[in-house]
């Protein structure tokens, strides 16, 4: 067994064991929470060699922490990458994923069907770094090729786009990124590696908001970046000088030459976390490790419950349409069968007759569903994106992101499916009766 576990192990085994070993001093079997900031050097030479990145080890928890390191190894194993970086949130993971690639004037070409917060982050705040974001409709992968330019440094999509349940053609977009000589970055939050491993379909870098299914109980913000180690930075050295040209602050070492397949991950710790400081709390890493142990079991139930609720909603008279890739009626069903045959996840949308007003009423009328802005909790959640998560967007952006006025988003939890159906049935009846009476 290598330090990070046996690569031949199945997903369920890796989800429990990858990256972890009994704590050597006490024998503690569960990974301890290393709730500390700094680590004693053996001697002055050891300190110097750690600071010069000449050997791996722990200096200060902003750069690396032993609990986080277990999470990083485990997520890298689950996603099929070589290295990982745990960060404070999913949004921090997006910034950290792009930071080694971008510079002022550089551009990320992203799908226009993304989590609302990601559209905001890339469309508005990235400008303050001098980064450009260009959004294209991912339903035709050729749209990415059409807008490529000399400034393009990455393509970015979500494997399942939140909230509309859109599944993109990962292999087609990966091929365009490869031809363009830029990394393909995939946000895998909604699918999780149990449903889909984007790296198997050509992704170079995977980001996750661990806040959602990976931790799984709505307790802990977190994010992670996983790298394949396969992108040829040195072949595209002019585009990626941070990785492929000497770094003056580290005595002129070149990350891609010195660290090989671990160049990107080493940069993420030694530069990105050092300077941006978006480190994950070890307590949150520990809670996420605990969540990962049951990820396969939970995802199975999430998907089964979501399919049951989606099928039921599709036959309901108060419902106009249901957008769930697990349903044969979905235009994304064939892509779901190809990229995530185990299931389509547990987050989907449906169109409520009665539009904006009816949507606001429905979220107030349900009892078992919680009205809140999160997904991937053990509890079932409901949201009206147009009046909440997507309200800062323009009407066109909202429509493009699948968050129009009539749209209700559900994140189906692990409860008894019949109880979820009963709660929605009662609330839908109440909303339709009121609408009919007005
Ligand atoms: C929640 C989410 C994010 C942001 O994650 P945080 O942990 O909330 O920062 C990014 N992408 C997707 C798809 C998400 O669902």
């Amino acid at each position: 067994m290598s330090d990070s576990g046996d690569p031949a192990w199945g997903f369920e085994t890796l989800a429990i064991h990858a990256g972890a070993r009994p704590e050597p001093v006490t024998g503690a079997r569960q990974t301890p929470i290393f709730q500390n900031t700094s680590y004693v050097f053996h001697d002055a030479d050891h300190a110097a060699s750690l600071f010069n990145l000449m050997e791996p080890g722990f200096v200060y928890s902003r750069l690396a922490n032993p609990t986080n390191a277990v999470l990083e190894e485990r997520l890298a194993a689950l996603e099929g990458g070589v290295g990982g970086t745990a960060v404070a949130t999913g949004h921090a993971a997006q910034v950290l994923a792009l930071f080694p690639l971008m510079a002022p004037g550089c551009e990320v070409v992203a799908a226009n069907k993304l989590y609302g917060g990601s559209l905001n982050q890339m469309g508005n705040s990235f400008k303050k770094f001098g980064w450009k974001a260009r959004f294209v409709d991912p339903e035709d992968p050729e749209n990415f090729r059409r807008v490529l330019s000399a400034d393009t440094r990455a393509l970015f999509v979500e494997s399942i786009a939140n909230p509309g349940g859109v599944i993109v053609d990962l292999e087609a977009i990966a091929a365009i990124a490869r031809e363009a000589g830029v990394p393909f970055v995939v946000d895998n939050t909604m699918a999780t590696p149990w449903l889909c491993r984007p790296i198997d379909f050509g992704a170079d870098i995977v980001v996750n908001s661990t806040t959602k299914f990976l931790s799984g109980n709505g307790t802990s913000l977190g994010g992670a970046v996983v790298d394949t180690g396969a992108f040829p930075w040195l072949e595209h050295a002019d585009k990626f000088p941070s990785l492929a040209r000497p770094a003056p602050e580290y005595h002129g070492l070149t990350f891609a030459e010195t660290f090989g397949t671990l160049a990107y991950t080493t940069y993420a710790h030694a530069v990105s976390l050092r300077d941006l400081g978006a480190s994950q709390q070890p307590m949150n890493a520990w809670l996420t490790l605990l969540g990962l142990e049951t990820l396969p079991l939970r995802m199975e139930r999430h998907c089964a419950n979501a399919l049951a609720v989606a099928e039921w909603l599709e036959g309901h008279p108060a419902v106009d349409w249901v957008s769930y890739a697990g349903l044969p009626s979905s235009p994304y069903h064939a892509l779901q069968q190809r990229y995530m045959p185990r299931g389509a996840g547990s987050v989907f949308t449906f169109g409520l007759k009665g539009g904006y007003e009816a949507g606001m009423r429905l979220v107030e009328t349900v009892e078992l569903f919680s009205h809140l802005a999160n997904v991937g909790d053990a509890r079932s959640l409901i949201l009206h994106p147009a009046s909440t998560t997507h309200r800062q967007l323009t009407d066109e952006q909202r429509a493009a992101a699948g968050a129009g006025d009539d749209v209700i988003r559900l994140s189906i939890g692990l409860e008894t499916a019949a109880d979820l159906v009963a709660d929605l049935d009662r609330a839908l009846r109440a909303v339709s009766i009121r609408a009919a009476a007005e």
Side-chain angles (χ1 to χ4, degrees), residues 1 3-5 16-22 29-31 70 73-74:
M1 189 180 112
D3 265 7
S4 55
I16 295 170
H17 292 284
R21 37 202 93 73
R29 181 61 272 216
Q30 184 56 280
T31 299
V70 177
E73 270 189 60
R74 189 165 304 169

Side-chain angles (χ1 to χ4, degrees), residues 7 9 54 84 97 114 134 137 143 155 170 180 184 199 201 229 262 280 296 305 314 338 395 398 427:
W9 279 343
M54 284 160 66
L114 294 182
R134 185 187 278 262
D137 186 346
N143 287 338
L155 306 189
L170 294 171
F184 181 35
I199 287 173
F201 302 111
L262 285 173
Q280 188 169 131
N305 277 359
E314 207 170 30
R338 180 162 147 210
D395 286 350
R398 264 205 292 274

Side-chain angles (χ1 to χ4, degrees), residues 89-92 94 115 118 158 160 162 187 189-190 209-212 221-223 375:
T89 64
H91 266 4
Q94 292 163 194
Y115 177 68
S118 303
E158 292 176 5
I160 305 180
N162 173 356
D187 179 339
T189 301
M190 289 293 126
S209 166
T210 63
T211 311
K212 314 291 169 57
L221 285 163
V375 295

Side-chain angles (χ1 to χ4, degrees), residues 86-156:
V87 296
T89 64
H91 266 4
Q94 292 163 194
V95 175
L96 268 278
L98 295 173
F99 192 67
L101 316 177
M102 301 284 275
C106 294
E107 183 169 80
V108 53
V109 179
N112 64 6
K113 296 188 170 64
L114 294 182
Y115 177 68
S118 303
L119 294 170
N120 260 323
Q121 181 197 54
M122 295 188 183
N124 299 320
S125 289
F126 276 12
K127 285 184 192 148
K128 298 195 172 189
F129 303 145
W131 298 358
K132 295 184 279 181
R134 185 187 278 262
F135 297 105
V136 300
D137 186 346
E139 297 200 30
D140 180 1
E142 288 302 312
N143 287 338
F144 287 88
R145 194 195 308 279
R146 289 187 188 109
V147 301
L148 292 173
S149 78
D151 297 332
T152 307
R153 291 295 178 273
L155 306 189
F156 186 99

Side-chain angles (χ1 to χ4, degrees), residues 29-46:
R29 181 61 272 216
Q30 184 56 280
T31 299
I33 306 169
F34 284 88
Q35 188 67 38
N36 57 285
T37 54
S38 33
Y39 308 83
V40 177
F41 306 120
H42 308 328
D43 52 35
D45 283 346
H46 179 226

Side-chain angles (χ1 to χ4, degrees), residues 307-318:
L307 185 61
V309 173
E311 281 172 344
W312 175 80
L313 279 172
E314 207 170 30
H316 199 285

